Amino acid sequence: MNKELMEALDILEKEKEISKETLFDAIENSLITACKNHFGKSDNIKVEIDKETCDFLCYAEKEVVEEVEDDCVQISLEDALKISKRAQLGNIIHVEIKSKEFGRIATQNAKNVILQKIREEERSVIYNQYYEKEKDIVTGIVQRYVGRNISINLGKADGILNESEQVKGEMFKPTERIKVYILEVKNTPKGPRILVSRTHPELVKRLFESEVTEIKDGTVEIKSIAREAGSRTKMAVWSNNPNVDAVGACVGINGTRVNTIVEELRGEKIDIINWDENPGNLIQNALSPAKIVAVFADPDEKTAKVVVPDYQLSLAIGKEGQNARLAARLTGYKIDIKSETQAKDAPGFRYEDYIDEYDEYEEDEYGEELEGDEDGLEAEMPEEESMKEGDDGEESYGEEESYDGEESYGEEESYNGEEESYDGEESYEEEESYDGEEPNEEEESYDGEEPNGEEESYDGEEPYEAEAEEELTEG
């Protein structure tokens, strides 16, 4: 039993993660190559390896002939009988080849074949290992600057952080540990080439997945994310469990979860908002912290017109347009923002532009028309802070109502009287019960039949009967 070979194969399998089957194939090929270099031919060379004991046998198949013309493939009958007493002319005899007989060059070639196979398999294993981690984050150690690029040790391979994938202002020191996002893994003759990034939006997403348990198990979903590396990130989240607050889960107790990610991103600001199927609410949330007066969204054209208070215009747009730009990327809508003063003279930013065709109806009919409008046209009060053109009907009002509070919404409607259909039958019934049939019934009961009954009973039949009785007694 070849113990040394067995131990060597076990070590290679553990350290390099190369299977023994591959190593046995490499040994077989190396022996065949050595025989070819030693004898000049290898077509009739066979190698048998016992994979349990690592014992191997190398032999040549030769034909038994009377006169030998080629020593590599033929053997004389006399020599064949020395190997096997049953040898006859025309038979094939297995002639064992001793590997110790190989020359120095043949041995060196066999060694090179084995080493080359091991290197190829090692590169293949590393490539497959990091190819599985593509589009994921890994922790690396900064090694050195190569020009303006940075070489990062990822463990068994080195990654390249190009200048275009670096965050402006970030400086790293050698031996510093950082987290990077693997963009691409290429297989090259010199080994796998791994490209990593610190600016990709998915980096923030993967950091939240690793930090927030609710995102990892699927309770909370990251619906959309927009990032300007080194400055600000906006992320919209949605909870599949009504008992779990999506934003609260991402922020953590006293902001512990989000602060960990902010520290990893070197102080980059992160805005976390609630995802909403209603485009109006979603755009309003995306433009936070700015306050919104109204949102006119067109889902078909993917455009939105937003009206904000005069003093909130600069906040809604953000520094160099950053807040509006990130909100547009997050929602997928082209957003046009104007202040209330500008919106008065701008077409498409006024409620009248959307409700002119309904002026012929009375207020109550107009309210019903809005409630059942299949085209999805909705008009909201300025205090509602959002509006959308969709087909949600009353549901969108309900969502807005839950966002801005039921009390303020109900007061505004009852004051202006425009949204009669939304307040519904209850307010109408209350007015009706106050001025309608019930008061009339009370008045009738007060001035009607009962008083007449009393008068009749007082002035009617009873006095007549009393007089008749007196006459009878007198007679």
Side-chain angles (χ1 to χ4, degrees):
M1 182 175 181
N2 197 335
K3 294 184 179 180
E4 294 180 357
L5 181 58
M6 178 66 78
E7 291 176 358
L9 295 179
D10 289 339
I11 292 172
L12 286 173
E13 187 176 25
K14 292 179 181 178
E15 292 183 356
K16 306 293 185 181
E17 297 183 1
I18 302 174
S19 65
K20 286 185 178 180
E21 294 290 337
T22 303
L23 295 172
F24 283 133
D25 292 340
I27 294 172
E28 183 178 344
N29 293 332
S30 66
L31 290 172
I32 293 175
T33 302
C35 292
K36 183 176 181 179
N37 294 330
H38 185 71
F39 298 108
K41 288 184 179 180
S42 61
D43 297 338
N44 62 332
I45 304 298
K46 303 295 181 181
V47 178
E48 293 181 358
I49 300 177
D50 188 342
K51 297 180 181 179
E52 295 181 359
T53 62
C54 288
D55 292 333
F56 62 91
L57 175 63
C58 184
Y59 60 87
E61 294 179 346
K62 294 185 178 182
E63 183 182 1
V64 180
V65 295
E66 291 182 358
E67 294 182 2
V68 178
E69 297 178 357
D70 188 351
D71 292 338
C72 294
V73 295
Q74 294 177 345
I75 187 173
S76 63
L77 180 60
E78 183 180 355
D79 295 336
L81 290 173
K82 294 179 182 179
I83 299 173
S84 176
K85 294 180 180 181
R86 298 179 181 181
Q88 297 178 2
L89 294 175
N91 290 350
I92 302 297
I93 298 296
H94 293 174
V95 180
E96 184 179 358
I97 299 174
K98 300 292 184 180
S99 58
K100 295 180 180 180
E101 297 176 358
F102 292 157
R104 182 180 61 83
I105 297 176
T107 305
Q108 187 66 30
N109 290 337
K111 177 183 176 182
N112 292 337
V113 169
I114 296 176
L115 293 177
Q116 181 65 23
K117 185 66 175 178
I118 292 174
R119 291 193 193 98
E120 290 177 359
E121 287 300 317
E122 186 178 4
R123 291 171 187 168
S124 177
V125 168
I126 294 174
Y127 171 77
N128 293 333
Q129 180 180 350
Y130 284 95
Y131 184 77
E132 294 176 356
K133 295 181 180 180
E134 197 175 39
K135 312 301 180 186
D136 202 352
I137 59 171
V138 294
T139 302
I141 301 175
V142 177
Q143 288 184 319
R144 62 187 181 278
Y145 278 83
V146 183
R148 295 185 177 180
N149 302 332
I150 303 175
S151 176
I152 299 176
N153 182 13
L154 303 178
K156 295 183 178 180
D158 292 341
I160 301 298
L161 182 61
N162 293 326
E163 182 184 9
S164 60
E165 299 297 334
Q166 299 176 23
V167 178
K168 293 182 179 179
E170 278 191 349
M171 298 297 294
F172 302 108
K173 299 177 181 179
T175 70
E176 187 175 359
R177 300 178 68 90
I178 61 173
K179 290 185 177 181
V180 293
Y181 178 78
I182 298 180
L183 283 176
E184 186 179 10
V185 180
K186 297 180 180 179
N187 197 5
T188 64
K190 295 183 179 180
R193 178 180 174 84
I194 305 172
L195 301 178
V196 297
S197 173
R198 287 276 296 176
T199 61
H200 202 280
E202 289 290 322
L203 174 64
V204 180
K205 185 176 180 180
R206 300 299 183 199
L207 288 173
F208 270 100
E209 288 178 355
S210 62
E211 190 69 27
V212 182
T213 309
E214 288 79 2
I215 295 178
K216 187 181 297 183
D217 61 20
T219 305
V220 176
E221 294 182 19
I222 299 177
K223 290 286 190 177
S224 179
I225 189 167
R227 183 187 184 201
E228 288 191 359
S231 180
R232 183 180 291 272
T233 296
K234 282 184 180 287
M235 186 174 69
V237 293
W238 169 263
S239 175
N240 294 317
N241 187 343
N243 297 324
V244 177
D245 180 16
V247 175
C250 295
V251 173
I253 301 175
N254 296 328
T256 52
R257 291 177 172 179
V258 72
N259 286 338
T260 303
I261 299 172
V262 169
E263 290 176 3
E264 178 62 37
L265 298 176
R266 308 298 176 94
E268 182 175 321
K269 298 178 182 178
I270 300 176
D271 294 342
I272 305 173
I273 67 168
N274 282 311
W275 172 269
D276 201 312
E277 296 295 338
N278 185 330
N281 291 342
L282 179 60
I283 293 171
Q284 173 181 298
N285 295 342
L287 287 171
S288 62
K291 295 182 179 179
I292 310 300
V293 173
V295 178
F296 303 92
D298 187 351
D300 297 330
E301 299 293 333
K302 288 292 182 181
T303 59
K305 293 176 170 54
V306 180
V307 181
V308 299
D310 293 347
Y311 67 95
Q312 291 276 306
L313 181 60
S314 59
L315 182 61
I317 295 175
K319 183 180 179 181
E320 298 178 354
Q322 184 187 70
N323 193 52
R325 186 165 57 249
L326 288 174
R329 292 181 192 170
L330 188 72
T331 60
Y333 278 70
K334 183 179 179 181
I335 302 176
D336 189 4
I337 304 175
K338 290 188 182 297
S339 64
E340 288 183 299
T341 304
Q342 296 171 341
K344 291 179 180 178
D345 302 326
F349 287 85
R350 299 167 298 183
Y351 294 103
E352 293 79 5
D353 298 333
Y354 298 92
I355 62 176
D356 285 344
E357 56 187 285
Y358 295 94
D359 286 345
E360 60 187 27
Y361 296 99
E362 296 292 333
E363 287 184 356
D364 56 342
E365 294 176 347
Y366 174 72
E368 294 174 1
E369 199 70 16
L370 280 179
E371 184 178 0
D373 187 10
E374 294 181 358
D375 295 334
L377 179 64
E378 299 177 6
E380 303 170 359
M381 303 309 300
E383 291 79 6
E384 283 310 310
E385 299 187 4
S386 73
M387 175 177 181
K388 97 173 182 50
E389 290 181 25
D391 53 358
D392 294 335
E394 294 182 358
E395 291 183 6
S396 63
Y397 283 101
E399 293 174 3
E400 289 164 3
E401 185 178 358
S402 63
Y403 183 81
D404 295 324
E406 297 178 357
E407 296 180 2
S408 62
Y409 195 91
E411 290 172 3
E412 289 164 5
E413 287 193 5
S414 62
Y415 179 76
N416 294 312
E418 293 180 359
E419 299 293 331
E420 239 181 288
S421 63
Y422 180 76
D423 285 332
E425 297 177 357
E426 294 180 3
S427 63
Y428 181 77
E429 288 176 357
E430 290 176 1
E431 292 174 0
E432 192 174 2
S433 64
Y434 184 78
D435 299 323
E437 295 179 358
E438 291 181 2
N440 291 336
E441 290 177 359
E442 291 178 0
E443 290 175 1
E444 288 177 4
S445 63
Y446 183 78
D447 299 323
E449 294 178 358
E450 292 180 2
N452 292 335
E454 291 176 0
E455 291 176 1
E456 288 177 5
S457 62
Y458 184 77
D459 301 324
E461 295 178 357
E462 291 181 1
Y464 179 77
E465 291 177 357
E467 290 177 1
E469 291 177 358
E470 288 178 2
E471 290 177 359
L472 289 174
T473 55
E474 288 178 1

